[in-house]
Amino acid sequence: MKLAVYPGSFDPVTLGHLDIIVRASRIFDQLIVGVPTNPEKHASFTVEERMELLRRATQAEGLRNVEIDKVDGLLADYAKRRGAMVVVKGLRALSDFEYEFQQALTNKKLNPELETMFLATSAENMFLSSSMVKQVAGFGGDISPFVPSCILETIQDRLCGRL
């Protein structure tokens, strides 16, 4: 069985993230979408909330071979424990590549059996990031074109201060 991990902060999950998840799920028998715990980051959503948003979004897409999981510690160690041979990373721009390439080389050094596969973001999502969604929402803008409709209200409630 070909097993891959797609890690990310997903704070919040965007249509760009979902596009990579859908495409990677067609390539691999099973895809783990990994949400890392990082106490140094000040996230808008807890790890558990991000995992639930991802579950709702992937279920709405009918993705039966996608698992949502928390990643504690190093990604290279997590992948080894789970038996994953590939890390999937989405790339929007050349600037993404430099950082992701450095991470890929580090993961390879830590786990020589682990490969990294880069998927180019679809053209319609090249500009899209969680940070952009948070900024637009913070100013009361419409984020519906940027996030899955099944989780739009939850994201708006948090980011637009409607709780």
Side-chain angles (χ1 to χ4, degrees):
M1 176 170 72
K2 300 286 186 206
L3 173 64
V5 178
Y6 173 43
S9 60
F10 308 108
D11 187 41
V13 61
T14 69
L15 290 174
H17 295 131
L18 192 56
D19 174 59
I20 297 293
I21 292 168
V22 167
R23 290 167 50 212
S25 74
R26 293 181 190 146
I27 297 168
F28 297 98
D29 297 323
Q30 184 179 3
L31 178 68
I32 300 170
V33 179
V35 182
T37 56
N38 187 347
E40 294 178 11
K41 278 197 169 185
H42 301 288
S44 298
F45 296 87
T46 67
V47 170
E48 291 74 20
E49 288 170 331
R50 287 179 273 158
M51 290 174 63
E52 180 57 28
L53 291 172
L54 283 159
R55 279 189 196 96
R56 288 169 48 195
T58 55
Q59 286 173 355
E61 291 290 322
L63 302 176
R64 291 191 171 93
N65 65 331
V66 174
E67 174 188 348
I68 312 303
D69 196 17
K70 179 170 37 173
V71 177
D72 286 315
L74 294 171
L75 179 62
D77 294 339
Y78 174 84
K80 191 173 208 169
R81 276 194 311 277
R82 293 300 310 265
M85 302 292 291
V86 177
V87 172
V88 174
K89 299 298 283 190
L91 297 177
R92 292 175 301 206
L94 187 58
S95 57
D96 284 350
F97 178 75
E98 292 180 45
Y99 175 74
E100 297 298 350
F101 187 64
Q102 183 181 27
Q103 280 198 327
L105 292 175
T106 302
N107 284 330
K108 186 76 168 165
K109 191 71 167 176
L110 295 171
N111 180 351
E113 297 177 5
L114 188 62
E115 299 294 341
T116 298
M117 184 180 87
F118 298 107
L119 283 178
T121 302
S122 297
E124 64 268 16
N125 296 317
M126 288 190 80
F127 68 94
L128 193 51
S129 69
S130 295
S131 298
M132 187 275 307
V133 169
K134 288 191 258 192
Q135 185 175 16
V136 171
F139 285 103
D142 179 16
I143 60 169
S144 64
F146 312 132
V147 300
S149 59
C150 63
I151 58 175
L152 172 63
E153 190 173 327
T154 303
I155 294 171
Q156 284 176 322
D157 286 347
R158 176 66 51 85
L159 299 181
C160 297
R162 299 190 315 182
L163 282 178

